[in-house]
Amino acid sequence: FDYPFFGYTKAEANLMDPQIRALHELAWKALEDGGCNVAKYKEKIGLYLAISDNVKWMAHTMLKKNENVNPFFMAHIINKNYASTLISYNLNLRGPSFVVDSACSGSLTSIHLACRSLLLRECSIAMAGGLRFITDTNTAYFHEEGMISSKDGFCKAFDSDSSGTISGQGGAIVVLKRLEEAIKDNDPIYAVIKATASNNDGKRKVGYTAPSVKGQYECIKQTHRFANIPSNTISYIEAHGTGTKLGDPIEIEALNKAFDNDTEHSCAIGSVKTNIGHLDYASGISGLVKTTLSIQNRQLAPSLHFKEPNPRIDFEKGPFHVNTTLKEWKPTNGTLLRAGVSSFGIGGTNAHVLMEEAPKVTKQPASRPY
């Protein structure tokens, strides 16, 4: 961690939550990749982040006495709730600065809020994402039948042998901009977000921690309406796909309903959790990055560990099939490549993002070579 670059002392950096350190670096790398020099950029930049709890790190640092760090400041650099404003301060980002907490859907909800902020012109660039590190050295778990943790250490989304998910680590931040301005500024554009939506299940489910067919359906359908895009032009869904006996069947039922139970259409489905595990608050952004790379490379990555469909999932009442091999991705019905990304949090906050490939921009050649 290059602590002087971000304006911290070595003692402060040592105490800082490693997640907050990494988010500083991801924010800078994202701006570099987007071609934005924050020292010269005059418009407002917003920052929307979702970070997993790191209670043991807080306990670990609070037990330490450090005469070189002010205790009041220390309380901020070990607390995830200050991650966004710490970065905004050090990089001089003057747009809205939030930490979003909607559990597992946090980072995709941050994308939703960032897009709204751009549409309302609260900022000209919005950065959004999330991160989850496990700083606990005891990473084993006890499998309990019917609970979220897998019995064998694998996430087998939509498979008959699925028994839950596993924990993963990682994170990402993406740079968002209004499309017409990104084109005008010759920015690298990996994909376009056509619409986002978020809602909550309310009490329309068997329990607080359970998912809801109606809640998920309404969230997904709302993005189709916002974008004014027919569902039969969407050819890939990056699912929440936790591999739980309860969650997977509910998710497919909601998707079938959102796609009007269209059995004539064919749409691939997958879950990045089978590759890297469940990233908790960062699970949504990991799915969005995977989908963005799929769009950019025009290839669908395999969803792992799928052999036979879970008998509780009614794949026959909709267009979906699990993509198990790396394959070329071709548009459906003569349209652009289009995909949806879902993320659902414990407590019922759902988020869905509808994406499509970036328009082909003809760049004017320079009038002279130098």
Side-chain angles (χ1 to χ4, degrees), residues 88-103:
S88 293
Y89 172 74
N90 285 302
L91 297 185
N92 193 27
L93 312 180
R94 301 179 306 281
S97 189
F98 296 145
V99 168
V100 180
D101 194 337
S102 62

Side-chain angles (χ1 to χ4, degrees), residues 125-144:
I125 288 177
M127 293 196 291
L131 186 131
R132 191 269 187 101
F133 282 168
I134 303 170
T135 52
D136 187 2
T137 54
N138 178 19
T139 55
Y141 61 86
F142 289 104
H143 167 70
E144 294 179 72

Side-chain angles (χ1 to χ4, degrees), residues 353-370:
V353 173
L354 184 57
M355 308 172 69
E356 73 177 20
E357 64 181 293
K360 290 179 173 59
V361 179
T362 305
K363 292 188 177 181
Q364 296 295 327
S367 57
R368 53 187 179 179
Y370 304 105

Side-chain angles (χ1 to χ4, degrees), residues 201-202 204-205 210-217 250-251 254 350:
D201 297 331
R204 301 172 293 181
K205 51 189 180 178
S212 161
V213 171
K214 195 162 188 182
Q216 293 180 18
Y217 154 72
I250 285 176
E251 181 166 12
N350 307 308

Side-chain angles (χ1 to χ4, degrees), residues 52-344:
S52 295
D53 291 313
N54 203 354
V55 178
K56 289 195 175 181
W57 182 268
M58 293 181 72
H60 163 72
T61 51
M62 289 174 75
L63 290 172
K64 285 185 172 182
K65 287 187 178 180
N66 193 311
E67 296 177 357
N68 297 316
V69 181
N70 180 286
F72 182 72
F73 187 58
M74 186 186 83
H76 291 72
I77 60 177
I78 65 173
N79 188 333
K80 71 165 191 173
N81 293 326
Y82 295 98
S84 185
T85 50
L86 282 166
I87 296 167
S88 293
Y89 172 74
N90 285 302
L91 297 185
N92 193 27
L93 312 180
R94 301 179 306 281
S97 189
F98 296 145
V99 168
V100 180
D101 194 337
S102 62
C104 317
S105 62
S107 56
L108 205 65
T109 302
S110 77
I111 295 286
H112 168 69
L113 294 173
C115 290
R116 288 288 183 276
S117 190
L118 285 168
L119 292 172
L120 291 170
R121 297 188 176 269
E122 293 177 319
C123 54
S124 296
I125 288 177
M127 293 196 291
L131 186 131
R132 191 269 187 101
F133 282 168
I134 303 170
T135 52
D136 187 2
T137 54
N138 178 19
T139 55
Y141 61 86
F142 289 104
H143 167 70
E144 294 179 72
E145 193 63 36
M147 298 304 286
I148 194 169
S149 296
S150 163
K151 67 183 179 184
D152 54 10
F154 293 98
C155 178
K156 302 176 180 179
F158 314 115
D159 190 74
S160 60
D161 192 36
S162 64
S163 58
T165 192
I166 58 166
S167 293
Q169 303 185 71
I173 292 177
V174 296
V175 173
L176 306 170
K177 206 170 182 180
R178 290 181 287 270
L179 179 61
E180 66 273 14
E181 292 173 16
I183 293 172
K184 180 183 174 184
D185 294 341
N186 288 320
D187 292 328
I189 306 170
Y190 298 109
V192 176
I193 293 175
K194 296 294 290 181
T196 68
S198 179
N199 70 353
N200 192 273
D201 297 331
K203 212 171 182 180
R204 301 172 293 181
K205 51 189 180 178
V206 297
Y208 173 75
T209 61
S212 161
V213 171
K214 195 162 188 182
Q216 293 180 18
Y217 154 72
E218 288 176 353
C219 183
I220 296 164
K221 199 66 180 176
Q222 198 172 37
T223 62
H224 299 175
R225 294 194 189 106
F226 282 160
N228 194 25
I229 283 176
S231 58
N232 64 1
T233 63
I234 300 165
S235 49
Y236 179 69
I237 294 290
E238 175 59 29
H240 188 59
T242 55
T244 58
K245 293 291 186 185
L246 179 66
D248 285 1
I250 285 176
E251 181 166 12
I252 298 299
E253 186 179 347
L255 279 164
N256 282 343
K257 193 175 179 184
F259 278 64
D260 304 314
N261 295 104
D262 185 357
T263 55
E264 301 291 318
H265 178 47
S266 178
C267 183
I269 194 167
S271 171
V272 74
K273 292 177 181 65
T274 65
N275 303 88
I276 60 174
H278 193 336
L279 268 56
D280 197 37
Y281 283 53
S283 62
I285 191 68
S286 60
L288 184 127
V289 168
K290 172 193 169 184
T291 306
T292 301
L293 292 171
S294 292
I295 290 173
Q296 185 192 13
N297 293 287
R298 305 183 79 81
Q299 288 184 315
L300 290 176
S303 196
L304 305 183
H305 316 307
F306 181 83
K307 294 178 181 176
E308 294 181 0
N310 183 338
R312 298 182 185 181
I313 298 176
D314 203 343
F315 280 114
E316 293 181 1
K317 287 191 177 178
F320 302 103
H321 64 275
V322 180
N323 183 62
T324 57
T325 59
L326 178 67
K327 67 179 183 181
E328 185 182 353
W329 188 4
K330 296 180 180 178
T332 300
N333 298 331
T335 62
L336 299 170
L337 293 180
R338 286 177 180 157
V341 182
S342 291
S343 192
F344 311 126

